[in-house]
Amino acid sequence: MGGASSRRNQTLGILNGMLVNLGNAFVDPFTVLPVFITSFGGSTVLVGFVSATFFAGWFLPQVFVAAVAQTRKRVLPIYTASAAFRFVGFAGAGASVFLIDPSHRSLILLCVCAGLSLNALAAGVAAVPFLEITSKTVPVNKRGAFFAGRRVVGGLLGIVAGLVIAAVLGGEPTAMWAQTGAYQAVKSAVDAIGWSGHTFPHNYGILILVGAVISTGGVVAYLFVSEPGAKHVARAAPLRTYLSEGLELLKRMPDYRTFFWMRVTYQVSAMAFPFYATYAYTRLGFSEASVGVFVSIWVGAGVLSNAVWGRLLDRSGNRVVFVSTALMSIVAPVTMLVLASSGVSATRPVAAGVFALVASTFLLNGFVRSGRFIANQTYLLESAPPDRRPLYVGFMNSLSFPFMLSPILGGLVVAGLGYRALFAVGALAAVGNLVASNRLVEPRRRVPSPGEETVPL
């Protein structure tokens, strides 16, 4: 592919990531949605379910899509077909909040959950062609910067989105952050547009619809990429054949197995993350508007770290990013465990020290998730056998699907054993993730066994 066409594709890819990430910030599954459900009287299990489906839906369809994608010379049509479903699901979730009488809380929650789940499933369908096109158009030594760039600009805007969320949800006049010039400027703009002053749940409906419009813009932008034809096209085969081939890859490639267990332990540790916001809201006296500040903090942390992770990955490889983020991921659940065990009670306004501790967990998780996202994508692309790349990526993502449901388990733990037990399990799993990350072999430095990557299965 020519240099100009490649640069154009990279620009469209970054624009896509920028807008999709910005749109998703308005329905953040770790802050906005958990507090929305809790305010509606939803259980901790439902909080876990919604947070889980936001990500698990992205992983589930990929092995099925990969079976189709690796038989196609071009896969952009698959991405195009998924775009309509993404919009219908996202926008439908927001519209349901306005179209259904607020007294029918269960129906509203059902429609919001169903709509966002459809959006997540359609995004999962789009992921395989997106990564395949990326592998054909973005050089290996620029992929770290590419994936980081997709998140940096959207993250910068996501910081503003967090302040918008706080203003739409009513603000908190006595809070320190509400006195800042940045928040006051955003609040004035929100007031002028007419997004503020709406009662629950319509204020959340506004957030969902705004997110849908912005995210759809990013999806549409990527429809204009130029996709070169694939060099390796497999013959069509029954799905069971692809599943068998995926299991054979898992059996033959030790690094593939290690990567899988690293993902499992990380996801078990991450099951506690959606409950940091609900714990702060229900036990520590934080306001609904605080979730907007949490969004700004953890998205802002992602922005600050993206450039660092991207450069570190391009220079030193994937493993160093995995190990670094694994170390950092231990701190957040330990911090929340200390808070939950200290007997701190709810106050208004929230004490500055308590606010700083809770905020630090979102800061750390922003760093961790940003690094993990970049390294996950590049590791799979770099370690995949060229003639099995869609299967290699799609099978791993679909195999990870059950563990993406870990927030549901988190909700059950909170309901049965309480928050302290959840944070303790999260901390132990984070230690396990560090062990698995440390065992991973850097694909750039590894010499494969003869025929290992391309031998027909």
Side-chain angles (χ1 to χ4, degrees):
M1 173 171 283
S5 183
S6 178
R7 287 191 296 272
R8 177 174 176 272
N9 277 6
Q10 291 181 52
T11 299
L12 289 171
I14 291 173
L15 178 63
N16 164 264
M18 176 188 80
L19 294 177
V20 170
N21 287 321
L22 175 60
N24 286 342
F26 285 92
V27 289
D28 185 72
F30 300 124
T31 53
V32 178
L33 291 181
V35 174
F36 169 65
I37 293 167
T38 302
S39 299
F40 241 142
S43 67
T44 55
V45 176
L46 183 59
V47 169
F49 173 79
V50 173
S51 296
T53 54
F54 201 91
F55 292 102
W58 187 84
F59 284 87
L60 176 62
Q62 292 195 27
V63 69
F64 307 104
V65 179
V68 176
Q70 68 178 21
T71 66
R72 304 290 180 87
K73 195 171 182 65
R74 289 182 172 80
V75 293
L76 185 59
I78 299 175
Y79 185 95
T80 303
S82 72
F85 291 95
R86 296 176 75 170
F87 173 74
V88 169
F90 209 151
S96 68
V97 177
F98 292 95
L99 297 176
I100 301 173
D101 190 293
S103 62
H104 300 300
R105 294 189 169 194
S106 297
L107 183 58
I108 292 177
L109 284 175
L110 175 63
C111 290
V112 169
C113 293
L116 294 179
S117 297
L118 175 60
N119 173 63
L121 284 167
V125 171
V128 172
F130 171 79
L131 289 173
E132 177 65 9
I133 294 170
T134 298
S135 71
K136 293 188 289 188
T137 58
V138 181
V140 171
N141 63 347
K142 292 185 179 180
R143 288 175 187 166
F146 171 76
F147 283 109
R150 281 170 52 83
R151 298 176 71 85
V152 165
V153 183
L156 288 170
L157 295 174
I159 297 173
V160 179
L163 298 178
V164 172
I165 292 167
V168 171
L169 295 182
E172 188 180 352
T174 59
M176 290 183 296
W177 54 263
Q179 312 304 319
T180 62
Y183 174 73
Q184 292 297 327
V186 170
K187 185 178 185 303
S188 296
V190 169
D191 290 343
I193 297 172
W195 290 353
S196 61
H198 295 271
T199 58
F200 180 87
H202 292 163
N203 49 359
Y204 282 93
I206 289 172
L207 296 179
I208 298 172
L209 287 176
V210 170
V213 171
I214 295 173
S215 180
T216 300
V219 172
V220 171
Y222 201 70
L223 300 180
F224 295 94
V225 299
S226 298
E227 179 191 6
K231 294 180 180 179
H232 303 280
V233 178
R235 292 182 179 180
L239 178 61
R240 64 178 179 274
T241 300
Y242 290 104
L243 293 175
S244 176
E245 290 180 355
L247 291 172
E248 189 66 21
L249 284 173
L250 199 65
K251 179 181 177 181
R252 291 188 181 189
M253 305 182 74
D255 295 339
Y256 199 47
R257 292 196 302 273
T258 302
F259 181 79
F260 169 70
W261 287 115
M262 184 195 69
R263 268 196 168 180
V264 170
T265 52
Y266 172 72
Q267 195 54 41
V268 174
S269 72
M271 74 179 180
F273 194 20
F275 299 96
Y276 294 176
T278 61
Y279 180 78
Y281 177 59
T282 60
R283 301 294 178 86
L284 300 178
F286 282 68
S287 67
E288 283 187 82
S290 297
V291 304
V293 181
F294 294 157
V295 170
S296 292
I297 290 171
W298 94 275
V299 170
V303 171
L304 293 173
S305 63
N306 265 318
V308 176
W309 295 135
R311 178 170 295 186
L312 183 64
L313 192 150
D314 285 341
R315 289 184 175 182
S316 303
N318 304 271
R319 182 180 177 276
V320 66
V321 176
F322 284 129
V323 173
S324 299
T325 53
L327 278 168
M328 296 176 70
S329 69
I330 298 172
V331 181
V334 170
T335 300
M336 294 303 293
L337 180 60
V338 170
L339 272 174
S341 304
S342 64
V344 176
S345 57
T347 60
R348 284 286 180 89
V350 175
V354 174
F355 184 90
L357 282 175
V358 175
S360 71
T361 65
F362 287 92
L363 183 75
L364 287 167
N365 275 300
F367 278 109
V368 171
R369 294 190 69 83
S370 173
R372 287 272 159 166
F373 178 84
I374 296 170
N376 276 333
Q377 307 293 343
T378 56
Y379 180 87
L380 285 174
L381 293 180
E382 290 177 27
S383 60
D387 58 341
R388 287 292 185 269
R389 188 163 45 221
L391 174 66
Y392 187 91
V393 174
F395 182 77
M396 174 58 69
N397 285 338
S398 290
L399 191 65
S400 304
F401 164 75
F403 304 97
M404 299 297 114
L405 300 175
S406 65
I408 300 175
L409 177 60
L412 290 170
V413 172
V414 172
L417 301 174
Y419 281 101
R420 281 189 294 180
L422 174 66
F423 300 146
V425 171
L428 290 173
V431 172
N433 178 249
L434 175 60
V435 173
S437 299
N438 198 50
R439 292 179 177 177
L440 200 67
V441 176
E442 174 57 49
R444 300 177 193 179
R445 296 184 176 90
R446 177 178 175 276
V447 178
S449 301
E452 178 187 33
E453 290 193 328
T454 57
V455 65
L457 299 176

